[in-house]
């Protein structure tokens, strides 16, 4: 697969040229972008998936939800519907997408909506809200946000950034100039100071954004009925680790030292679990030769699993949060509150 991607390098060069031209047309107003009177805050990335946009959306909501009437607007990736829809706690992931559904269930008093046309979605929401938070719209240049937060996976900063299809990047690093905040996500516990400075220096060539570093903070394991599972209890269990996310390796690495045995079952990101898949999952669980066994999945994957399956199986999920590191959380919160205060 790696060799094939390198063979596609000429296509990557063509893709990079097309995206560069498109961005310059917007920069010089030859293609039009629309702005709004209320604060419109965008979270996004330059790469394809896996940088932690949904945990960042939730982190920002925790900061602003008690001060501002904020609506979250998403494309609703993976849904089978079209157009503008409000997300309810009893919606299905196939109707609204797994990530918007997860956000609505965690923040039931917050308006969450999906629309592939972001400007139309803002038109529908702006009269009843103080601000709009978009969870994946950095490349949506028809919209001109008042504030942009750009995310980079830590590992991606340590290697060449190549355009699709050879690499994973939709835009070049040059496009980071539009961001006001850049967050390096999924950082290890101890980042060497020199690596941290090298990353900041690399970004400073393209962007004046304030740079923060964050890590994944795994929360208490829980099931659909609210029962929790401690790490001490996990130590005596065999775990079928079910994932359908962009990069399951960090979760696998986190769980392995905690459980007696771990059996990974990996699907593609946003995988739509079919009846055949559910039967396969049940068979895999039954094949584990242990009496004390569970299925453990991510919170995002849990949204897409059938409710009757979750009710009948020993299935738990593990929520995650973004945590700004190096004692810079207060500075981050201050900048976020200022962003949402802008008229």
């Amino acid at each position: 697969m790696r060799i094939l991607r390198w063979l596609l390098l000429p296509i990557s060069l063509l893709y990079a040229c097309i995206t560069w031209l498109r961005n310059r047309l917007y920069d010089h107003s030859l293609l039009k972008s629309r702005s709004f009177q209320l604060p419109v805050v965008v979270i996004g990335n330059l790469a394809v998936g896996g940088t932690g946009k949904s945990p960042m959306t939730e982190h920002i909501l925790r900061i602003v939800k008690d001060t501002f009437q904020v609506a979250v607007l998403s494309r609703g990736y993976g849904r089978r519907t079209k157009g503008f829809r409000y997300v309810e706690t009893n919606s299905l992931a196939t109707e609204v997408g797994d990530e918007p559904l997860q956000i609505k269930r965690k923040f039931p008093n917050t308006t969450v909506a999906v629309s592939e046309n972001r400007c139309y979605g803002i038109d529908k929401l702006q009269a009843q809200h103080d601000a709009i938070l978009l969870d994946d719209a950095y490349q949506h240049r028809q919209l001109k946000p008042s504030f942009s937060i750009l995310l980079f996976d830590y590992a991606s900063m340590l290697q060449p950034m190549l355009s699709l299809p050879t690499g994973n990047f939709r835009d070049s690093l040059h496009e980071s100039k539009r961001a006001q905040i850049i967050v390096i996500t999924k950082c290890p516990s101890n980042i060497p100071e020199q690596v941290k400075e090298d990353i900041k220096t690399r970004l400073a060539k393209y962007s004046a954004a304030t740079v923060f570093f964050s890590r994944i903070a795994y929360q208490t394991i829980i099931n659909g009925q609210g029962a929790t599972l401690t790490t001490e209890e996990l130590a005596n269990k065999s775990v079928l680790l079910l994932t359908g996310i962009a990069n399951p390796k960090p979760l696998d690495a986190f769980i392995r030292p905690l459980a007696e045995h771990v059996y990974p079952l990996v699907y593609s990101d946003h995988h739509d679990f079919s009846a055949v898949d559910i039967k396969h999952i049940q068979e895999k669980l039954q094949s584990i030769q242990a009496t004390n066994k569970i299925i453990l999945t991510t919170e995002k994957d849990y949204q897409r699993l059938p409710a009757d399956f979750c009710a009948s199986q020993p299935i738990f999920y593990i929520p995650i949060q973004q945590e700004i590191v190096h004692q810079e959380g207060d500075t981050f919160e201050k900048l976020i509150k200022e962003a949402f205060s802008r008229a």
Side-chain angles (χ1 to χ4, degrees):
M1 180 62 74
R2 174 59 61 182
I3 295 174
L4 176 60
R5 295 187 77 173
W6 277 107
L7 291 174
L8 295 173
L9 183 59
I11 298 177
S12 293
L13 296 175
L14 177 62
Y15 177 89
C17 290
I18 293 171
T19 56
W20 180 90
L21 177 61
R22 173 180 179 270
N23 282 306
R24 299 299 75 77
L25 291 173
Y26 277 108
D27 289 345
H28 295 288
S29 300
L30 295 173
L31 292 176
K32 300 299 182 182
S33 296
R34 185 180 172 193
S35 59
F36 293 84
Q37 290 298 312
L38 80 172
V40 175
V41 178
V42 162
I43 301 170
N45 55 5
L46 300 183
V48 178
T51 56
K53 293 184 295 294
S54 291
M56 181 57 69
T57 301
E58 294 173 4
H59 182 62
I60 291 173
L61 276 178
R62 293 185 187 95
I63 295 172
V64 301
K65 66 181 178 64
D66 295 330
T67 307
F68 305 100
Q69 189 72 24
V70 177
V72 176
L73 180 62
S74 173
R75 177 179 58 164
Y77 184 86
R79 65 184 175 127
R80 298 175 186 171
T81 59
K82 297 291 184 181
F84 178 90
R85 295 174 71 98
Y86 285 102
V87 182
E88 306 296 343
T89 55
N90 61 351
S91 296
L92 299 176
T94 52
E95 298 172 333
V96 297
D98 50 9
E99 291 167 338
L101 182 57
Q102 173 182 311
I103 292 167
K104 181 62 180 180
R105 288 175 173 174
K106 294 179 86 166
F107 301 90
N109 295 323
T110 295
T111 300
V112 181
V114 293
S115 177
E116 60 272 25
N117 185 327
R118 314 304 168 80
C119 292
Y120 178 79
I122 295 173
D123 280 333
K124 296 281 286 184
L125 296 167
Q126 62 179 335
Q128 296 81 33
H129 298 91
D130 300 324
I132 311 295
L133 176 60
L134 294 98
D135 74 340
D136 185 11
Y138 197 80
Q139 278 83 21
H140 198 80
R141 296 296 305 269
Q142 296 97 323
L143 165 68
K144 187 174 182 179
S146 57
F147 197 89
S148 294
I149 302 162
L150 184 59
L151 309 183
F152 288 95
D153 177 273
Y154 175 81
S156 73
M157 298 301 299
L158 307 179
Q159 53 193 328
M161 295 182 177
L162 301 173
S163 295
L164 293 166
T166 299
N168 294 321
F169 279 79
R170 297 178 286 188
D171 268 326
S172 72
L173 196 54
H174 180 80
E175 302 309 320
S176 62
K177 66 180 182 179
R178 305 198 308 272
Q180 284 73 45
I181 285 177
I182 293 176
V183 183
I184 311 302
T185 63
K186 301 183 180 180
C187 293
S189 299
N190 296 304
I191 307 172
E193 192 63 30
Q194 187 58 53
V195 173
K196 180 181 172 183
E197 291 306 313
D198 288 346
I199 290 173
K200 286 186 173 183
T201 300
R202 185 181 187 184
L203 291 169
K205 295 176 182 178
Y206 305 95
S207 176
T210 306
V211 179
F212 295 91
F213 295 80
S214 73
R215 71 179 188 92
I216 295 174
Y218 290 102
Q219 306 299 296
T220 302
I221 297 171
I222 191 170
N223 68 9
Q225 292 73 47
T228 59
L229 188 67
T230 67
T231 53
E232 291 79 11
E233 293 170 319
L234 188 63
N236 299 318
K237 294 187 183 299
S238 292
V239 174
L240 178 63
L241 187 59
L242 173 64
T243 56
I245 56 177
N247 182 12
K249 291 180 180 179
L251 177 59
D252 189 287
F254 177 75
I255 293 297
R256 280 190 183 276
L258 302 177
E260 185 173 19
H261 298 288
V262 175
Y263 303 89
L265 183 55
V266 178
Y267 291 89
S268 60
D269 194 17
H270 297 281
H271 182 77
D272 186 6
F273 293 105
S274 66
V276 173
D277 294 326
I278 296 303
K279 182 180 179 182
H280 179 61
I281 295 167
Q282 291 174 315
E283 290 173 349
K284 289 289 288 186
L285 182 65
Q286 292 170 2
S287 70
I288 296 174
Q289 299 301 309
T291 55
N292 207 2
K293 55 189 176 181
I294 64 167
I295 300 171
L296 179 61
T297 190
T298 69
E299 187 174 18
K300 185 173 83 168
D301 289 316
Y302 190 83
Q303 314 305 318
R304 301 194 307 277
L305 291 167
D308 56 348
F309 171 73
C310 293
S312 64
Q313 300 294 322
I315 183 166
F316 290 76
Y317 63 88
I318 182 165
I320 62 172
Q321 291 185 13
Q322 290 275 9
E323 183 178 286
I324 304 297
V325 298
H326 303 136
Q327 291 77 51
E328 294 178 334
D330 289 344
T331 303
F332 181 84
E333 288 193 17
K334 180 176 181 292
L335 291 176
I336 292 301
K337 288 179 179 177
E338 288 175 356
F340 279 85
S341 298
R342 296 176 181 179

